[in-house]
Amino acid sequence: MSGLVKQPELPNIESLIDRESDQQPSRNYFVLSCAIPAGIATFGFGSVFVAWLAGNTGLPLVLGSVLTAVLAGAAWYLFFRLYKSVSESRRRLRDAVLKFAPRYAGFGNVVAGEHVLTEEYAALLDEAAGLYLRHAGTVAEPATTKALRAIEEAMGKLMEVAASKDRQAQVQALDWANPVLDELRLLSRSLDEHARASKVMEQDDPVAGLRQVRAELDGTSEALQELHDHVQNS
């Protein structure tokens, strides 16, 4: 997608769109968690009812009913678990990206030069997307899971503004989006330092490594709280 649009080049946003477009929309799993069990129940209990009308009684009907209930329950559990395996912050971000993508790659933006993003908001969003992508593919440790969720939450809120057709909303959002970007930078730096400290702990003096990790995690907690405050108050 890079280079197609007449918007200033936004490689991080385009990478984010490509990344999320390859993923199954999480709402599909929720739909399947309702539709498939309903289909199994309709077919299974319908068959049991037909068998009863045909004069069958006793054990066959009980087994058919139990089997139908078990299959419907298993199907619901499987697809609902797939739906819940994606965090709420990730679902919110993915939905906003998928809503924004057609407008960004649409005829007006690609050919007619109808910029869907203001210049200032585009630059802000592209930098935020770069920070998100920097950490999105990392393995979440217990100490960093909350930080990664906070980054997703902030990125989701920024993308929701971009997905809106109201360009004035982008101008107004800069009042809270710029502080959010500042906090994302600080949190990203803390996560980078934590990753480096973890490597030091593995390779060097374990006591010094533990002290360094503890200090960096304290900084991460402070940055995380400030980011959460900015997102919640915006």
Side-chain angles (χ1 to χ4, degrees), residues 29-45:
Y29 291 128
F30 182 78
V31 172
L32 289 173
S33 73
C34 299
I36 292 182
I40 292 173
T42 300
F43 178 79
F45 288 120

Side-chain angles (χ1 to χ4, degrees), residues 4 30 36 43 45-46 58 64 80 83 104 121 124-125 128-129 133 150 155-156 161 163 178 189 205 222-223 227:
L4 281 177
F30 182 78
I36 292 182
F43 178 79
F45 288 120
F80 192 73
Y83 171 71
Y104 184 75
Y121 196 79
L124 180 150
L125 189 66
L133 292 171
M155 194 65 215
V161 175
N178 277 309
R189 191 179 307 152
D205 178 21
E222 293 175 5
L227 174 60

Side-chain angles (χ1 to χ4, degrees), residues 6-8 103 108-109 112-119 167 170:
K6 292 189 176 182
Q7 186 93 20
R103 296 183 59 231
N109 199 49
E114 230 176 69
H115 293 175
V116 298
L117 296 173
T118 65
E119 185 175 346
R167 284 170 59 87
Q170 298 175 25

Side-chain angles (χ1 to χ4, degrees), residues 4-49:
L4 281 177
V5 295
K6 292 189 176 182
Q7 186 93 20
E9 188 173 354
L10 304 172
N12 294 321
I13 293 177
E14 293 170 8
S15 296
L16 178 60
I17 291 173
D18 291 340
R19 183 178 189 270
E20 295 302 326
S21 296
D22 291 337
Q23 303 296 318
Q24 177 76 254
S26 57
R27 62 180 176 274
N28 287 0
Y29 291 128
F30 182 78
V31 172
L32 289 173
S33 73
C34 299
I36 292 182
I40 292 173
T42 300
F43 178 79
F45 288 120
S47 298
V48 170
F49 181 69

Side-chain angles (χ1 to χ4, degrees), residues 33 36-38 40-41 45 65-81:
S33 73
I36 292 182
I40 292 173
F45 288 120
S65 299
V66 170
L67 181 60
T68 296
V70 169
L71 290 176
W76 173 84
Y77 179 79
L78 172 63
F79 287 103
F80 192 73
R81 288 288 296 176

Side-chain angles (χ1 to χ4, degrees), residues 149-171:
R149 291 290 178 264
I151 293 175
E152 287 177 352
E153 183 181 349
M155 194 65 215
K157 193 157 189 177
L158 292 171
M159 283 302 309
E160 285 176 347
V161 175
S164 170
K165 295 183 180 180
D166 184 5
R167 284 170 59 87
Q168 186 60 31
Q170 298 175 25
V171 177

